[in-house]
Amino acid sequence: MSRFPRGFVENSSSKEEAKAARRPSICFRPINPCDLERLEQIHRDIFPIRYESEFFQNVVNGGDIVSWAAVDRSRPDGHSEELIGFVTAKIVLAKESEISELIRYDSTKGEETLVYILTLGVVETYRKRGIAKLLINEVVKYASSIPVCRGVYLHVIAHNNPAIRLYKRMSFRCVRRLHGFYLINGQHFDSYLFVYFINDGVIVESWLHCRDLAVLVLNYMRSGIKSVASKLTINHEEKGSKWLKSKDNMRCLLPTQTKRNLASERVSSGYDDYV
């Protein structure tokens, strides 16, 4: 298991006092130790979850995490190297990833890998300038330069619609929905899993088609079972009501135990797959 938090990608809620330049000169470079304080501050401002100091040390010291900093070279007063955006990622073995079943393997190329995006963020005053897209492109270019890398993937919280639209425009494929993936302030939130395939790491379409068919059949069976259960419940209710009415001269609604069962059925959990 990774020592670091599961990936969280968010593009909202940071407040910067200084105004961004009208025509920023955006450049990219690796994150280095002098960025530590700024990197920690932006993560606190942007994300609703907290990352351990070990994570930040690994990023700035170039451990097993690769990173890109976005800076605006047009900023005055010595701020031209200050982070205004970033992306962090790490290389994982494809066979040990949660999307291992979607990868088409080539045994002649050795141990195949994926690049997993851990965090991505842009400060508020620099948003809607395409910086997040450029940062993701840096990751894709890096992954594409690794012959054994089969794709780039990430998680995004289900209500982050701007980020979801961005990934779809960039040809990332939404392959899975994970219920309750994030735990934030004691509340669970769903996550979507997006993948961008590279270097012939083509998604196994036949597997997905079979899976989709299985999901459709399962949903159909579930709806049929619910329909039958509903009819049986109604018949049981009518018989029970008549029996109680004739015996005790009182009306009876749906039994409490049946209500509890139906409620449990409505809130059943799991994960849905999307392609």
Side-chain angles (χ1 to χ4, degrees), residues 8-78:
F8 198 101
V9 182
E10 187 72 30
N11 290 325
S12 61
S13 79
S14 171
K15 290 186 176 181
E16 291 289 307
E17 294 181 359
K19 292 184 179 181
R22 290 187 177 181
R23 294 184 179 178
S25 176
I26 305 299
C27 298
F28 302 98
R29 60 167 175 79
I31 295 176
N32 55 54
C34 68
D35 296 315
L36 178 61
E37 184 177 348
R38 176 69 170 168
L39 184 68
E40 291 178 331
Q41 182 61 52
I42 299 177
H43 273 74
R44 285 194 298 269
D45 291 344
I46 293 179
F47 302 130
I49 60 177
R50 294 292 173 258
Y51 289 85
E52 297 178 0
S53 60
E54 184 182 7
F55 167 75
F56 296 109
Q57 290 294 334
N58 198 303
V59 173
V60 301
N61 292 314
D64 62 347
I65 294 179
V66 291
S67 64
W68 290 262
V71 297
D72 180 6
R73 294 280 165 78
S74 67
R75 294 183 70 180
D77 304 324

Side-chain angles (χ1 to χ4, degrees), residues 170-189:
M170 296 186 69
S171 300
F172 277 73
R173 298 188 66 170
C174 183
V175 298
R176 186 164 297 159
R177 176 168 181 156
L178 300 167
H179 289 288
F181 182 84
Y182 293 113
L183 179 60
I184 303 172
N185 298 326
Q187 185 176 354
H188 287 279
F189 295 89

Side-chain angles (χ1 to χ4, degrees), residues 48-206:
I49 60 177
R50 294 292 173 258
Y51 289 85
E52 297 178 0
S53 60
E54 184 182 7
F55 167 75
F56 296 109
Q57 290 294 334
N58 198 303
V59 173
V60 301
N61 292 314
D64 62 347
I65 294 179
V66 291
S67 64
W68 290 262
V71 297
D72 180 6
R73 294 280 165 78
S74 67
R75 294 183 70 180
D77 304 324
H79 293 289
S80 62
E81 285 296 316
E82 189 174 80
L83 268 66
I84 54 92
F86 60 86
V87 61
T88 65
K90 67 181 303 182
I91 297 175
V92 300
L93 292 176
K95 289 183 178 179
E96 295 180 2
S97 73
E98 57 193 298
I99 58 169
S100 59
E101 75 280 5
L102 303 181
I103 304 299
R104 179 169 294 156
Y105 296 96
D106 183 349
S107 59
T108 65
K109 295 187 177 181
E111 200 75 72
E112 293 165 310
T113 62
L114 297 165
V115 172
Y116 177 56
I117 293 181
L118 294 164
T119 59
L120 166 69
V122 176
V123 299
E124 187 174 9
T125 50
Y126 280 86
R127 295 194 189 133
K128 298 183 180 180
R129 298 173 184 261
I131 298 174
K133 180 179 179 179
L134 293 173
L135 284 165
I136 296 172
N137 281 336
E138 291 296 313
V139 179
V140 171
K141 285 190 294 184
Y142 168 75
S144 300
S145 70
I146 304 172
V148 295
C149 186
R150 292 289 170 263
V152 177
Y153 75 108
L154 57 88
H155 294 91
V156 59
I157 200 164
H159 61 248
N160 190 349
N161 293 320
I164 291 170
R165 287 193 295 268
L166 171 63
Y167 304 135
K168 288 182 176 179
R169 287 198 303 267
M170 296 186 69
S171 300
F172 277 73
R173 298 188 66 170
C174 183
V175 298
R176 186 164 297 159
R177 176 168 181 156
L178 300 167
H179 289 288
F181 182 84
Y182 293 113
L183 179 60
I184 303 172
N185 298 326
Q187 185 176 354
H188 287 279
F189 295 89
D190 292 356
S191 164
Y192 289 114
L193 195 158
F194 281 86
V195 187
Y196 184 92
F197 293 94
I198 59 174
N199 295 334
D200 298 322
V202 184
I203 198 165
V204 184
E205 299 287 356
S206 58

